[in-house]
Amino acid sequence: MRRGLAVFDRLGRAQLLRGAVSLVQLVALLVTSLVLPIPQAEAQSDPWALTPGLTARAVFSCDDLTLNNASSADSAPDAGQGHVGTNGRIALNAASTVLGNATPGPGKAVVRTGGSTVSGSTAPASLAVPCAPVSLTGLASTLPGSNANATIPRTAQNRDPLSGPNRTVFSMTSGDTLQLAAGTYYFTRFTLAGAAKVSVAGPVRIFVAGEIQLGGGSWLNQSGNPANVRLFGNGPRLELTASSELSAFVYVPAAQVDLTNQSRIVGGLWARRATLNASRITKRTALSAPTLTITEPAEGATLPNLAAVAVSGVAQDAEGPVTLTLNGQTVSVGANGVFTATLDLSSTQPPAITAVAADGDGF
């Protein structure tokens, strides 16, 4: 680089999205998906990845789906997207509600009693959905020997939450609290009782090869961003009772899931069979990133005037408007995603352009 000039040398897109430092740094925040594709059972490079097919509904239940006693499926922050689906039938009883589409399996129906309602379509699906579109075989075989369990601290009450022969049984109770660091964890059972509370400090992946139970007002990641927690498992049962709350995307394709007595999942649920009794599931779909590309300055361009650098590109979200800042300055984004701006980089050392795109959730 010659004195007084800046050479624009972009890194590859994958590096930029990982936050690599260069003259341009792209940061893509989380967005919402409205698409309802049928996911296909196939191998994928990241077994934790959340595809639109997985996250498009508040609930997918391979077998029948039942909502009883004023249970509900809804969405936030955008209303009307609490879609539910199944390969079987959908039963809504005693003033239960679906604020979105209720899609039963091929040839099946939505049965409503006691003033239950659906705000969207109740038409059946034309094709059955694969019950386990993401294989858990790889995680089940590798995570027992490669996980972040050793980083789990003692609880606020100075208790060890891990037990069992291989220290893979996670259990907390009696109002105890704990924070999990960002990482991937493996448990053979996961139990929170007696108002126990687990928070997270960054992206957390939890695989449970057994039963999952939250009860007595316990919670995992309550009020936290559900995009930060993926709770996957191949066990037979997941149960939330007595005002317990789980904020995560939950993928348990072999499990019977029961929510009772004012319990709630925020994020999304994929299960073998699901039953809600006086409980709620809220779809929070900000689980993937918008696209963000800078087209000018071009790769390898020489910038003779750092005080007036023309920047342009495209920031898009499949759902709607994107907010964008360049070096902290708010930039208008057109309906087609195109943006242009002029930046003063003369006092920035090293010269850098930081672009931040965010969806309506602001994650």
Side-chain angles (χ1 to χ4, degrees):
M1 182 182 297
R2 292 182 293 166
R3 185 176 180 84
L5 299 178
V7 178
F8 183 80
D9 184 16
R10 290 189 296 179
L11 299 179
R13 174 177 171 80
Q15 292 173 295
L16 289 170
L17 290 178
R18 287 197 299 269
V21 177
S22 72
L23 293 180
V24 175
Q25 181 182 48
L26 301 185
V27 181
L29 300 186
L30 298 172
V31 299
T32 303
S33 172
L34 288 175
V35 184
L36 294 173
I38 296 176
Q40 298 301 310
E42 59 184 21
Q44 56 187 49
S45 58
D46 178 8
W48 299 100
L50 298 182
T51 64
L54 287 178
T55 62
R57 306 165 184 83
V59 187
F60 180 81
S61 173
C62 188
D63 295 338
D64 292 348
L65 172 64
T66 304
L67 279 68
N68 295 323
N69 300 320
S71 292
S72 66
D74 56 21
S75 58
D78 300 316
Q81 299 175 29
H83 312 302
V84 302
T86 174
N87 286 336
R89 74 164 197 159
I90 297 174
L92 306 177
N93 303 311
S96 294
T97 60
V98 172
L99 297 177
N101 299 332
T103 307
K108 305 294 183 177
V110 176
V111 178
R112 288 167 284 188
T113 65
S116 297
T117 60
V118 176
S119 69
S121 170
T122 58
S126 57
L127 296 172
V129 175
C131 292
V134 177
S135 173
L136 297 178
T137 302
L139 293 176
S141 63
T142 61
L143 288 181
S146 178
N147 55 65
N149 288 17
T151 68
I152 297 175
R154 298 183 74 84
T155 69
Q157 297 177 11
N158 198 31
R159 296 172 178 169
D160 187 347
L162 297 178
S163 62
N166 298 312
R167 294 180 51 75
T168 55
V169 176
F170 186 99
S171 180
M172 289 174 53
T173 188
S174 301
D176 212 349
T177 62
L178 179 144
Q179 184 177 74
L180 290 176
T184 300
Y185 301 90
Y186 173 83
F187 306 121
T188 50
R189 185 180 180 93
F190 186 90
T191 304
L192 299 178
K197 298 173 175 60
V198 176
S199 59
V200 302
V204 165
R205 309 291 181 254
I206 299 173
F207 185 90
V208 183
E211 293 191 351
I212 302 168
Q213 293 182 314
L214 280 72
S218 297
W219 52 256
L220 170 60
N221 192 35
Q222 185 187 49
S223 302
N225 180 359
N228 272 339
V229 179
R230 313 275 165 86
L231 179 59
F232 285 19
N234 58 4
R237 188 171 183 82
L238 183 151
E239 184 178 45
L240 272 68
T241 62
S243 301
S244 296
E245 184 165 327
L246 173 58
S247 183
F249 184 84
V250 183
Y251 179 75
V252 285
Q256 165 71 44
V257 175
D258 292 294
L259 276 66
T260 62
N261 193 14
Q262 307 302 318
S263 294
R264 186 183 185 195
I265 292 176
V266 179
L269 170 67
W270 190 285
R272 178 181 62 81
R273 181 187 292 264
T275 301
L276 282 66
N277 280 292
S279 294
R280 180 181 178 190
I281 295 183
T282 298
K283 172 189 172 188
R284 191 69 176 261
T285 55
L287 301 172
S288 57
T291 59
L292 176 57
T293 305
I294 288 184
T295 56
E296 185 184 7
E299 178 122 22
T302 298
L303 307 177
N305 182 10
L306 289 177
V309 177
V311 181
S312 61
V314 180
Q316 291 181 315
D317 175 7
E319 291 202 325
V322 172
T323 60
L324 175 71
T325 62
L326 297 176
N327 289 13
Q329 172 185 329
T330 301
V331 175
S332 177
V333 179
N336 59 357
V338 173
F339 63 86
T340 59
T342 300
L343 298 181
D344 181 356
L345 304 183
S346 59
S347 61
T348 304
Q349 294 299 325
I353 301 170
T354 299
V356 180
D359 73 327
D361 252 349
F363 288 133

